[in-house]
Amino acid sequence: MDPKNDSRSKRYSAPSHKLRNIIFAVITVIVLVIGLFAWQAIHNTKGALDKSYAGAGLKKSRDVSDVIKSGRPISILLYGTDTGELGRTYRGRTDSMMLLLINPKTEKTTLISLARDAMVSIVGYENTFPQKLNAAYAYGATATSIKTVESFLNIPIDYYALVNMGGLSNMVNQVGGISVKSPIDFTYSQETAHDYGPNLYRFHKDSTKFEHSDDNGNTWSASRATMDGDAALAFSRMRYDDPNGDYGRQQRQRLVLEGLIKKSANISNLLNDKFMSTISKNVRTDLTFGDMTTMASKYIKAKNNIVTEHMQGVGESYPDAEGNNVSYEVIPQHEKQRVTDLARKALGLQAAKTGLPYGGEVPANLSGIATSLRPAGDNNANETTTPKTTQ
C-alpha cells in the first residue's frame, strides 16, 4: 500500500490495541548491544544475529564504525512497526519511539521517549505537511525516520533497531519476568482496553504487587510481584484512564524497559536456538555482529545507570482532507532545545541549536499553517534554515 495514495483519515487512524507498546520488544536489542553475555554465547548465535541485520539505507551523519571502535557514546533510534512479520512488503507507521543513548565514559544509559504524535514535516515528503512523527517510516522506511529525527532535534543517529510485537511475551517470560513499581492505581483488560472484561489486571500505586482476574473482577488471584509477558503488556498498554494520557503510558513503557534491561544481566542462559529464532523474526537493526561484539567489551557498564526522559508537547488539532480533526502534539522549540541539550550531552557532543520546529522545511504555501499551529510565545517558530549537526 502506498501511503501517498491513502486517505489522510486512514493514515491518521488510531492503531489497534494489539499494536501498542511495541517498543518493549527492544529489550532483545539492548541485551545484545550492551553486551551482557559472554563472547562464546555471541559466537554460538552469530547465524541468528546475522538474520536480523538490515542496512538503514542512507549515509550516516558521522562515521559510526569509528565511533563504536573508539568506544565513544552512541545513539540508537528504537522504534516498532505495526505490520506483523517484519518480512512483509507493506511498511506500516511506527508506534512508540525512543532514543537510546549509551555513554561508556560516564557509564550511563539514557532513554528518551519521543512523542509519536509530534507534528512534523517529514524529510523528503514535506509537501504532505502536517504529519505525525510515527508516519515517517510509512513514507520512506528507516532512512526517512532517521533523517526526520535528526532534523527535528539536531542530533546524529548512529544506529536503528526496528521491532515488531511478535515474540514480546516470550522474551519477557524468558528473562524470568520483571518487577515494576506502578506510578498509579489502575485496572486494565487487553481484550477491552478498559477497566473491565476478561484477562483483567489490577495494579497499585507505588507497589510492585498486582492481581489477575479471569472473570471480570468477580474473583482475584493472590497478589504477585513479578510480571510475566502478558502482565507486562497490560501494564504498558493502558492509556485512556491514565491522568497523563499517552505521556503516562510512555512513563510505564520506560519503567518496563528499565526493568528488562536490569533483569537481562542473567540472560546468558536464554541465548538458545529458540530465543535467538525469536530475535531473528522480530528484530531488524543495522548493528552488525562485529559492532555487537565490540560493544560487549566497551559498553557493558552503562547498563547500571539508566536515566529516563520524555519530550513534552502541547495538544493541537488540525483537519485532514475529509475535514476530520486530527490530534497532534506540537513540540515547543524550548522543549526541543531541552531534549537536544540532554541528548547531545549524553553523546559527549558540544552544545548546539535544536532543529527546525517541524524537522523538515515547510513548503512556502504551507508556512502560514505551520506558524499558526505553534504554541503561543514559541520562539524561533518561523525558522526555515536547517542547523548543521555539530559532531
Side-chain angles (χ1 to χ4, degrees):
M1 183 182 294
D2 187 348
K4 291 181 181 180
N5 297 326
D6 196 10
S7 72
R8 209 166 189 75
S9 61
K10 290 182 180 178
R11 289 201 304 269
Y12 289 128
S13 61
S16 69
H17 299 304
K18 289 184 179 180
L19 303 176
R20 291 178 180 166
N21 249 357
I22 288 175
I23 200 63
F24 290 108
V26 301
I27 182 58
T28 58
V29 178
I30 293 176
V31 168
L32 299 179
V33 300
I34 297 180
L36 303 180
F37 43 84
W39 157 256
Q40 188 62 37
I42 301 177
H43 183 71
N44 290 340
T45 58
K46 181 178 184 300
L49 299 183
D50 287 343
K51 293 180 182 178
S52 294
Y53 177 82
L58 80 166
K59 182 179 179 180
K60 299 294 179 64
S61 58
R62 58 182 185 171
D63 186 344
V64 294
S65 178
D66 179 68
V67 169
I68 198 168
K69 287 180 180 178
S70 60
R72 291 154 56 192
I74 63 169
S75 62
I76 304 174
L77 178 61
L78 306 174
Y79 59 107
T81 180
D82 59 10
T83 58
E85 289 297 322
L86 291 177
R88 288 173 57 176
T89 301
Y90 169 62
R91 296 191 304 266
R93 65 174 57 229
T94 53
D95 196 49
S96 301
M97 304 172 70
M98 285 187 188
L99 287 174
L100 172 65
L101 312 172
I102 308 174
N103 191 322
K105 297 179 180 179
T106 60
E107 299 182 358
K108 179 186 293 185
T109 295
T110 303
L111 285 168
I112 305 176
S113 295
L114 303 180
R116 64 178 188 175
D117 293 339
M119 182 181 286
V120 298
S121 178
I122 297 174
V123 175
Y125 301 87
E126 291 86 354
N127 64 325
T128 68
F129 176 85
Q131 289 285 352
K132 295 185 178 184
L133 182 60
N134 70 344
Y137 184 75
Y139 276 92
T142 297
T144 297
S145 294
I146 290 176
K147 290 177 183 178
T148 302
V149 172
E150 285 187 330
S151 296
F152 195 54
L153 294 173
N154 190 22
I155 60 172
I157 301 297
D158 299 320
Y159 297 96
Y160 83 93
L162 169 66
V163 190
N164 78 341
M165 198 65 172
L168 174 58
S169 292
N170 182 51
M171 295 169 195
V172 174
N173 290 335
Q174 290 210 43
V175 300
I178 58 172
S179 292
V180 176
K181 186 179 292 187
S182 178
I184 59 173
D185 292 308
F186 72 96
T187 303
Y188 184 78
S189 165
Q190 296 187 72
E191 279 68 16
T192 65
H194 292 287
D195 59 357
Y196 58 85
N199 197 23
L200 198 63
Y201 286 92
R202 183 171 64 189
F203 302 96
H204 307 282
K205 183 177 180 179
D206 298 328
S207 174
T208 60
K209 294 184 178 181
F210 66 95
E211 296 83 38
H212 179 259
S213 173
D214 282 325
D215 57 6
N216 197 22
N218 292 319
T219 58
W220 293 93
S221 69
S223 293
R224 308 170 189 170
T226 301
M227 297 181 186
D228 62 9
D230 192 64
L233 285 176
F235 180 79
S236 60
R237 279 175 167 165
M238 191 277 288
R239 176 183 182 183
Y240 298 113
D241 291 333
D242 194 305
N244 293 316
D246 195 50
Y247 292 107
R249 185 166 65 96
Q250 289 178 19
Q251 179 189 18
R252 283 177 279 113
Q253 291 174 349
R254 295 191 300 270
L255 287 171
V256 169
L257 186 54
E258 184 176 354
L260 286 167
I261 293 173
K262 292 177 178 178
K263 192 65 179 291
S264 68
N266 298 317
I267 201 170
S268 59
N269 64 318
L270 304 177
L271 296 178
N272 51 45
D273 291 342
K274 182 178 179 181
F275 185 70
M276 295 311 297
S277 177
T278 299
I279 291 177
S280 66
K281 291 178 180 178
N282 294 286
V283 178
R284 292 294 178 269
T285 179
D286 59 348
L287 279 160
T288 66
F289 175 75
D291 293 333
M292 294 179 188
T293 56
T294 299
M295 294 175 68
S297 62
K298 295 183 178 181
Y299 292 75
I300 185 171
K301 293 183 179 179
K303 69 95 181 175
N304 294 322
N305 185 8
I306 303 172
V307 177
T308 63
E309 262 286 358
H310 76 282
M311 185 168 60
Q312 182 72 44
V314 177
E316 184 61 83
S317 63
Y318 186 77
D320 61 13
E322 286 74 34
N324 302 309
N325 279 333
V326 178
S327 296
Y328 297 89
E329 288 293 308
V330 178
I331 314 298
Q333 282 295 87
H334 66 82
E335 172 65 1
K336 287 171 70 262
Q337 186 66 60
R338 183 187 71 84
V339 174
T340 294
D341 292 343
L342 176 67
R344 294 185 70 84
K345 182 177 180 180
L347 291 172
L349 302 176
Q350 67 184 67
K353 200 171 185 179
T354 191
L356 291 177
Y358 296 106
E361 296 185 9
V362 178
N365 64 316
L366 298 172
S367 60
I369 295 173
T371 300
S372 69
L373 292 170
R374 301 305 301 176
D378 193 22
N379 296 326
N380 306 314
N382 297 316
E383 291 183 354
T384 58
T385 304
T386 304
K388 184 177 180 180
T389 300
T390 305
Q391 305 301 326

